[in-house]
Amino acid sequence: MHDSRPGRRVAIVAGLRTPFAKSGSVFREVSATALARHVARELLVRTELDGREVDEVIFGQVVPSVRVPNVAREVSLLPQLLPSVPAYSLNRACASAAQAITNAADQIALGHADVILAGGVESLSDIPVLHSRRFSQILVEAGKAKTMGRRIGTLARTRPRDLVPVTPAVAEPSTGETMGQSAEKMAKENGITREAQDRFALQSHRRAAAATEDGRLTAEIAPWFGGAGMDEIVATDNGIRADTSLEALAELRPVFDRRYGSVTAGNSSPLTDGAAAVLLMAEDKATALGHRPLAYLRSSAVAAVDPSWQLLMGPVYAVPRALERAALSWSDLGLVEIHEAFAAQVLSNVQAWASAAWAERLGLAGPVGEVDWERTNVAGGSIAIGHPFGATGARLVTTLAHEMERRDVQFGLISICAQGGMGHALVLERD
Amino acid sequence: MSAFTTVVESGIAVVTFDLPGEPVNKLSDAVKVEFEALLIRLRDDTTIRSAVLISGKPDSFIAGADIEEFSALTTESAAERLSFEGQEMVSRVETLSTPVVAAIHGACLGGGLELALACHYRIATDHPKTQLALPEVQLGLIPGAGGCQRLPRLIGARAALDMILTGKSERGAKALRLGLIDELVPPSILRATAVAAADRLAREGVPPRKPKGGIPALALDRTAAGRRLVYRAAEKRVLAKTGGHYPAPLRALDAVRTGLEQGITAGLAAEHRAFGELAVGDVSRKLVQVFFATNALKKDDGIVPGSAVPRQIRRLGVVGAGFMGAGIAGMAALNVEVDTRLKDADLPRVGKGLKAATGILAERYKRRRLTRSQFDRLSALLSGGADYRGFARADLVIEAVFEDLDTKRHVLAEVEAVTRPEAIFASNTSTIPIREIAAHAARPERVLGMHFFSPVEKMPLLEVIPTEATEPEAIITAVRFGRRMGKTVIVVADHPGFWVNRILSPYLNEAAILVAEGVPIELIDQTMTRWGFPVGPVALLDEVGLDVAQKASAVMHAAFGDRLRPPETLGRLIADGRQGRKNGRGFYRYHDGHKAGVDDSVYPLIGVRPVEDADSGVIERRLVFAMLNEAAMALEDGVVRTPRDGDIGALFGIGFPAFRGGPLRMIDDLTATKVVETLRDLEDVHGSRFSPAGGLIGTILHGGRYYPA
């Protein structure tokens, strides 16, 4: 069955993440580099892997810090790894870690590497704040000035408005539309009600709370030693609200369209800090090292739509493509993980997969499939757990692989929507 | 084979110093003869315009004089002559019409630096191995080849005294700031830069040096009145540090002062006179013996040579993230650069331990001993968890859990269950016999003791304790690992208290007995610090922790009977809630962690009044001889393999005064006969605990000593 993907079979040996924390909370003082290094090192420890076995490190990060443009290299320079391990960082927006895993799998399949550490990280507590264009130009010019007088003269051209800092926006550069506005547009165009969104958010929180309580989620978390004394232990995600209710969610005001809107802070994923990583190996390498893989990567696919249309509909295209590459149909899937950027986005994607009209648009004989919520996002999703842009893909692979093992499921699917109108899908399999 | 190779290229002689058959360059008599010949060539060969002196050794310029050679000198006049000849040779470099550039990479110590100081230009590398120092005072000597004269003239009296009186070493960057060197370059361009400088010097002469240090230097270093202040402050510091037991720093100060105030000729005379006297003096002799003993220990792996090779330690597991465990982890990361996993019962404890271990690195970073990137790299070696994940790859596991036999056995069983069969298990215990801990071990051949002293980052000694069952491979691995951690390692037998706590036990008991007799606590401690210990015995009890001390003394009492019976004193204090420094209440009072005088309420607690006419001579005799006697007994029991190990253990483990050489060396100096006599006198007054060791009597009978005369 597993010969659908060309090249060597790629094993998912293990996955791990830091706790996911709302930006500006427990990881306020922590750099993305520190989060990424922590999770990578703990993954090596938990797998009892000799760091010298690692051939490459690939990490996703959407908003890199100015000082560390290639966070993956900082990870690969962990003293537990060989300094000769190459590393690069990439950006496919919210699917970055999924892309890191896909690229790693490709390299392994091709025989270029046996063991790759792939993951992602985001710290929105540690984002670059830029000077205005004009002020930057003044600074550069002053830096080039030959005399002190000229330098002061250049700097004197600064006007107060030049000093207003520029922060990165979660908006489409091509359309200027924010992610939330896009979700709002999708809710309206696809007829997703406020109540359906809140209900979905509630389910995300309840499931995440239950999975934290019974240890399914905490098993995937490398606790963080926080505080000045390193004795304030962070072992769980701090965005999960076990006590939330439909009523509480209903009280929140829409953020992006105060009058007719339905997208609220409660039914969207929060800005989050965190890191996640997955250890991938060639199947024979995993066997040789005595590892029992959680699952194997069977296929992957990426798609994109015009961002000025419904921004977060990329998965509608990516998922059937990945299934086709996996030579599987929706009914073969035992588990599904859908990244929850917004409840409106998830419900729009799900609706499209089940629709005959969409099947026609996609050129398929019939609808992609009907989501069974008993087998989908069973441990909650990004709305409750949080969504560090660069890391989410690796979290989803980790959670799905573990749950597939727990439930003894053969095939599982991951669907991720991303900025820029992109969608990323992965199919995992077990023997 | 010649030590110097000279290659002349376009009028520049590049002289490479590479002493055949030695790992480092030393200035021995033979080398000096060759060097004199070289100087004549540099003077007379008209094709040579200037010269570069560079080392052919990796990471070592010149390590200094040949200590073995001068320690063989027996008379003051011979030692004085050695210094004088050194001064003359170095002066000939300085007065050479051909400019000489010293190209320094690696250790540049003692006579090596004195020679460099006489060169006309100095270039050093920015490599961490490049260290410049005049460490003579550490051997009870002073720089005797003009160093006391040229260094203050070059970098000012204050900076020079700072280096000469402490022997501390400076890296290239600091040396440049001080004005000790003229240029700082990466190793890759040292030679080329030196050749270019030599060429420049030949054409343009030696450039004038700008005095460094600004106004304070102007006021303090370059006026006679300012320098008087500098001398006075230096003298005060020296006396506070040495307690007057070490003459060398004061003589060095005198040589510097004489030279600066009365001219270089007078200074050089004061310098070689002092060198002559010190070199054959008792203190220097002792310090040199200690130096040799320490060096010999560095080559002693505690096994039959060649019977095993050490295992490579790629991961260290540490169980117990308390003060000890964290210290061990921190030092392993810092000095061995080994991947270290810390384990304790819960994560907050692990976190605290990681913080403390990282703190050792952070402290080095703050003192600029580590760069930011080194700190980042080394601290990433430290990780921890509340379970044994990561231990499957550990090659060595050191446990530093609570001092309790069952706990330690339990930890050993847990560790054996998760580690590979080749992994070595070391127990950090101060009193529990290792064979007891290993009694139920699955692999007793891989179990031994590694007794660290607290605080691990400061205390230089490590006792490695094999049992009868321990394999040589485990021993050599532990010894080498401890040494890489920066410790002086002695291999001791698996007897209660091992070596250090064994000889400490009667000494601390005697101190507690003295307190119980009403001898004022400050008098006891003052007596022993004046005698040369860094802290007095009662203060030491507070430092160790009264509960810990009591527990240890109970173990020793059980093992050795009445001789080591502790007095009631500690129990009374503990019952009053006193644990010593750690809870701020002991024999002493503490304010914000600082010792604030004896707590007088201790006396009523143990039911005595402080006596007023206590005799410090008696106090000293009782305390010192209790320890000497126990040392003789422990040696006889085979606790240490040689007197050398025992003396080094006492020096580095408890701060036994180095100028006395160690307890066994002291017995030799006093003669065993005299020691036995004194013990018999003490026995008459104070009872059988002073009964002389059988070994001492045996030594007398055989007319022997511990060390060859």
Side-chain angles (χ1 to χ4, degrees):
Chain A
M1 272 299 269
H2 54 74
D3 51 4
S4 57
R5 200 186 141 86
R8 299 194 296 173
R9 201 181 187 202
V10 179
I12 297 161
V13 171
L16 194 66
R17 64 183 176 93
T18 66
F20 283 2
K22 289 182 175 178
S23 294
S25 66
V26 289
F27 294 147
R28 201 174 49 241
E29 310 288 337
V30 183
S31 68
T33 305
L35 291 172
R37 283 166 70 105
H38 178 67
V39 79
R41 191 184 51 203
E42 287 303 308
L43 185 54
L44 292 177
V45 166
R46 291 194 180 199
T47 52
E48 304 287 1
L49 181 74
D50 183 341
R52 289 178 298 187
E53 297 286 354
V54 176
D55 297 318
E56 187 164 20
V57 174
I58 311 172
F59 260 63
Q61 189 180 16
V62 178
V63 190
S65 121
V66 178
R67 287 177 190 281
V68 189
N70 182 3
V71 70
R73 183 61 180 134
E74 300 310 308
V75 173
S76 75
L77 284 172
L78 274 173
Q80 288 80 5
L81 303 179
L82 293 175
S84 54
V85 172
Y88 67 95
S89 304
L90 57 79
N91 183 354
R92 199 194 280 285
C94 306
S96 293
Q99 189 62 51
I101 290 164
T102 305
N103 288 11
D106 291 349
Q107 288 300 299
I108 291 170
L110 282 167
H112 294 168
D114 287 328
V115 180
I116 300 185
L117 205 57
V121 62
E122 209 68 58
S123 170
L124 294 177
S125 299
D126 179 26
I127 49 166
V129 176
L130 308 177
H131 292 302
S132 67
R133 189 106 193 105
R134 216 178 97 90
F135 189 55
S136 302
Q137 282 164 350
I138 289 171
L139 285 177
V140 170
E141 236 176 276
K144 287 182 188 156
K146 295 249 169 11
T147 67
M148 188 52 85
R150 197 165 276 253
R151 181 167 303 173
I152 291 167
T154 309
L155 288 171
R157 297 207 322 258
T158 312
R159 297 288 166 264
R161 68 184 145 85
D162 298 335
L163 296 175
V164 176
V166 182
T167 53
V170 193
E172 283 297 311
S174 61
T175 62
E177 194 178 71
T178 69
M179 199 70 82
Q181 286 166 342
S182 304
E184 192 63 77
K185 185 161 120 189
M186 288 169 74
K188 291 189 178 99
E189 293 193 10
N190 302 323
I192 312 291
T193 65
R194 167 73 186 263
E195 202 210 329
Q197 291 177 50
D198 285 352
R199 213 172 268 290
F200 182 77
L202 181 67
Q203 172 185 285
S204 183
H205 279 283
R206 289 211 170 137
R207 288 183 172 186
T212 302
E213 183 70 44
D214 66 21
R216 273 179 296 150
L217 281 185
T218 44
E220 298 169 7
I221 294 175
W224 178 261
F225 298 97
M230 290 180 75
D231 53 353
E232 292 162 31
I233 307 303
V234 186
T236 54
D237 311 311
N238 68 8
I240 303 170
R241 301 280 299 269
D243 57 348
T244 195
S245 63
L246 268 187
E247 295 69 37
L249 287 165
E251 272 172 32
L252 297 169
R253 300 261 320 261
V255 181
F256 307 98
D257 176 354
R258 299 218 164 242
R259 213 157 158 202
Y260 300 111
S262 58
V263 176
T264 69
N267 57 39
S268 315
S269 57
L271 294 180
T272 309
D273 302 336
V278 170
L279 181 64
L280 299 171
M281 288 187 195
E283 182 178 25
D284 51 352
K285 183 72 178 182
T287 310
L289 292 178
H291 291 288
R292 203 171 54 80
L294 294 168
Y296 299 86
L297 190 68
R298 187 176 169 93
S299 76
S300 64
V302 191
V305 299
D306 182 348
S308 63
W309 177 63
Q310 292 193 15
L311 182 73
L312 302 175
M313 288 301 258
V316 179
Y317 293 82
V319 164
R321 207 172 284 175
L323 285 173
E324 190 194 349
R325 287 180 187 169
L328 295 174
S329 63
W330 187 273
S331 56
D332 295 318
L333 299 172
L335 279 165
V336 177
E337 282 290 333
I338 305 172
H339 164 50
E340 304 167 353
F342 300 91
Q345 154 263 324
V346 177
L347 297 174
S348 295
N349 292 169
V350 164
Q351 188 169 292
W353 285 324
S355 125
W358 264 99
E360 201 172 317
R361 207 161 160 175
L362 294 166
L364 300 173
V368 177
E370 187 99 30
V371 165
D372 171 4
W373 288 110
E374 290 312 305
R375 291 185 291 145
T376 304
N377 290 13
V378 294
S382 299
I383 289 176
I385 294 167
H387 171 40
F389 305 143
T392 289
R395 171 184 78 77
L396 292 170
V397 169
T398 304
T399 303
L400 178 64
H402 277 122
E403 198 63 32
M404 282 170 70
E405 186 179 56
R406 213 171 277 125
R407 299 189 180 204
D408 193 18
V409 159
Q410 196 180 4
F411 301 111
L413 170 79
I414 289 166
S415 160
I416 302 171
C417 64
Q419 192 189 28
M422 294 186 288
H424 199 123
L426 299 170
V427 176
L428 271 47
E429 68 178 352
R430 288 176 63 248
D431 288 327
Chain B
M1 281 265 288
S2 171
F4 298 95
T5 321
T6 305
V7 178
V8 184
E9 292 162 16
S10 359
I12 295 162
V14 177
V15 179
T16 304
F17 184 9
D18 192 348
L19 190 59
E22 293 281 345
V24 296
N25 289 325
K26 290 186 280 193
L27 298 169
S28 63
D29 280 344
V31 166
K32 284 179 202 158
V33 170
E34 273 194 59
F35 192 72
E36 294 283 3
L38 177 76
L39 287 178
I40 290 168
R41 182 177 169 199
L42 291 181
R43 188 190 63 195
D44 296 346
D45 188 338
T46 49
T47 65
I48 296 173
R49 297 183 294 131
S50 60
V52 169
L53 178 61
I54 195 164
S55 163
K57 303 290 183 200
D59 301 335
S60 167
F61 178 67
I62 301 173
D66 188 329
I67 297 168
E68 247 165 283
E69 220 169 73
F70 86 68
S71 68
L73 298 175
T74 48
T75 66
E76 191 178 319
S77 61
E80 191 175 326
R81 193 163 56 245
L82 182 81
S83 169
F84 177 75
E85 285 168 6
Q87 291 176 342
E88 291 286 294
M89 185 184 86
V90 165
S91 292
R92 275 194 284 281
V93 175
E94 191 173 47
T95 55
L96 212 56
S97 57
T98 316
V100 182
V101 175
I104 303 164
H105 172 71
C108 173
L109 308 176
L113 180 54
E114 291 180 293
L115 180 57
L117 284 169
C119 292
H120 305 93
Y121 198 78
R122 283 161 294 281
I123 304 174
T125 68
D126 55 7
H127 195 274
K129 286 264 165 81
T130 296
Q131 303 267 354
L132 299 94
L134 293 174
E136 285 84 350
V137 290
Q138 290 168 357
L139 291 177
L141 300 167
I142 68 168
C148 294
Q149 312 309 317
R150 287 190 185 87
L151 189 63
R153 279 173 174 75
L154 186 66
I155 66 173
R158 283 174 308 153
L161 287 171
D162 192 31
M163 285 183 74
I164 294 171
L165 301 188
T166 61
K168 77 172 178 187
S169 60
E170 305 290 5
R171 288 198 193 181
K174 178 79 181 292
L176 184 68
R177 274 203 300 282
L178 290 173
L180 183 50
I181 57 170
D182 298 292
E183 284 188 66
L184 182 68
V185 297
S188 51
I189 62 163
L190 176 65
R191 188 192 157 103
T193 316
V195 169
D199 181 51
R200 205 165 57 237
L201 260 57
R203 286 184 285 105
E204 301 166 9
V206 179
R209 290 191 173 84
K210 264 194 256 169
K212 303 225 171 193
I215 290 166
L218 201 65
L220 289 169
D221 289 339
R222 289 198 286 281
T223 67
R227 285 196 299 271
R228 268 198 299 279
L229 291 175
V230 171
Y231 301 141
R232 210 175 304 149
E235 186 171 346
K236 238 169 131 179
R237 270 200 308 278
V238 165
L239 286 175
K241 213 174 150 204
T242 63
H245 291 300
Y246 297 87
L250 291 177
R251 299 300 298 270
L253 174 60
D254 179 60
V256 170
R257 179 167 40 202
T258 306
L260 285 179
E261 308 310 323
Q262 296 169 33
I264 193 156
T265 314
L268 287 169
E271 191 178 297
H272 63 241
R273 266 200 312 273
F275 186 92
E277 284 171 40
L278 291 166
V280 293
D282 194 43
V283 171
S284 176
R285 283 280 142 99
K286 287 283 184 318
L287 294 179
V288 168
Q289 282 160 359
V290 170
F291 175 79
F292 283 135
T294 315
N295 275 356
L297 256 180
K298 279 182 195 151
K299 294 180 194 115
D300 185 341
D301 293 317
I303 58 169
V304 177
S307 61
V309 290
R311 276 181 65 76
Q312 197 193 354
I313 308 297
R314 297 198 60 243
R315 178 173 288 167
L316 170 70
V318 177
V319 186
F323 198 58
M324 263 299 187
I328 293 166
M331 291 307 285
L334 176 68
N335 287 337
V336 192
E337 302 190 14
V338 67
D339 189 16
T340 300
R341 187 77 179 172
L342 204 52
K343 192 262 171 201
D344 208 319
D346 60 58
L347 288 173
R349 272 194 241 193
V350 175
K352 268 189 202 136
L354 287 172
K355 173 75 187 177
T358 314
I360 292 173
L361 305 173
E363 198 256 345
R364 297 293 194 287
Y365 168 62
K366 233 182 272 165
R367 288 199 288 121
R368 297 205 212 168
R369 292 283 153 193
L370 293 177
T371 62
R372 179 79 219 179
S373 66
Q374 284 171 324
F375 171 77
D376 285 344
R377 209 187 92 79
L378 296 179
S379 51
L381 292 166
L382 295 162
S383 72
D387 51 42
Y388 284 104
R389 278 188 281 208
F391 276 65
R393 293 192 39 74
D395 304 288
L396 171 66
V397 175
I398 303 176
E399 70 78 14
V401 299
F402 184 62
E403 190 80 349
D404 172 74
L405 178 59
D406 286 338
T407 313
K408 287 184 185 284
R409 277 183 179 165
H410 186 67
V411 167
L412 169 56
E414 284 179 343
V415 168
E416 280 190 326
V418 293
T419 51
R420 296 184 288 214
E422 319 86 82
I424 295 164
F425 180 91
S427 186
N428 177 60
T429 171
S430 51
T431 45
I432 305 176
I434 306 304
R435 62 178 174 279
E436 297 275 321
I437 296 170
H440 307 301
R443 299 182 290 273
E445 68 279 7
R446 312 300 284 178
V447 180
L448 44 63
M450 285 176 86
H451 179 206
F452 290 90
F453 295 81
S454 181
V456 182
E457 66 271 28
K458 297 224 170 73
M459 297 296 287
L461 189 72
L462 168 67
E463 291 180 316
V464 166
I465 309 117
T467 69
E468 298 280 313
T470 312
E471 289 172 347
E473 189 194 71
I475 302 172
I476 189 175
T477 302
V479 168
R480 291 278 180 94
F481 190 80
R483 207 172 280 149
R484 288 179 68 200
M485 280 177 73
K487 301 301 167 198
T488 296
V489 187
I490 57 172
V491 175
V492 301
D494 189 18
H495 280 243
F498 314 124
W499 170 257
V500 168
N501 283 334
R502 170 81 180 270
I503 63 171
L504 203 52
S505 182
Y507 170 79
L508 293 179
N509 278 351
E510 199 60 28
I513 294 169
L514 286 164
V515 176
E517 290 171 10
V519 178
I521 290 164
E522 45 282 70
L523 183 64
I524 299 171
D525 280 350
Q526 263 168 29
T527 302
M528 295 321 290
T529 51
R530 284 201 187 122
W531 194 75
F533 273 108
V535 286
V538 187
L540 184 59
L541 284 167
D542 267 9
E543 296 292 332
V544 168
L546 302 186
D547 50 337
V548 174
Q550 190 190 37
K551 204 160 177 169
S553 65
V555 171
M556 299 305 284
H557 180 214
F560 295 100
D562 277 350
R563 181 163 51 80
L564 295 184
R565 173 190 291 281
E568 304 281 311
T569 326
L570 285 188
R572 299 259 172 93
L573 267 77
I574 292 165
D576 187 45
R578 292 168 193 259
Q579 295 186 336
R581 178 188 282 279
K582 64 185 165 195
N583 77 342
R585 296 182 68 227
F587 289 99
Y588 286 84
R589 289 177 286 116
Y590 296 88
H591 282 307
D592 305 324
H594 293 283
K595 203 156 70 178
V598 168
D599 187 344
D600 286 327
S601 62
V602 164
Y603 299 108
L605 207 61
I606 47 180
V608 288
R609 267 167 197 281
V611 296
E612 275 164 23
D613 55 347
D615 176 352
S616 65
V618 174
I619 297 169
E620 178 191 304
R621 205 152 47 239
R622 284 171 63 178
L623 288 166
V624 170
F625 281 82
M627 184 180 283
L628 298 190
N629 197 25
E630 197 65 34
M633 265 183 260
L635 179 67
E636 191 190 350
D637 289 349
V639 173
V640 283
R641 295 167 305 158
T642 60
R644 174 201 75 191
D645 288 9
D647 281 340
I648 292 296
L651 260 57
F652 291 176
I654 50 184
F656 194 95
F659 67 92
R660 297 185 192 275
L664 299 166
R665 178 75 72 177
M666 232 189 112
I667 293 172
D668 272 2
D669 286 352
L670 293 169
T671 74
T673 315
K674 182 76 190 7
V675 172
V676 169
E677 269 172 35
T678 308
L679 285 167
R680 293 238 193 270
D681 291 346
L682 288 165
E683 186 181 7
D684 288 343
V685 183
H686 303 287
S688 63
R689 67 178 185 275
F690 283 104
S691 177
L696 277 175
I697 295 160
T699 307
I700 298 169
L701 286 177
H702 298 99
R705 320 163 28 96
Y706 291 123
Y707 291 90

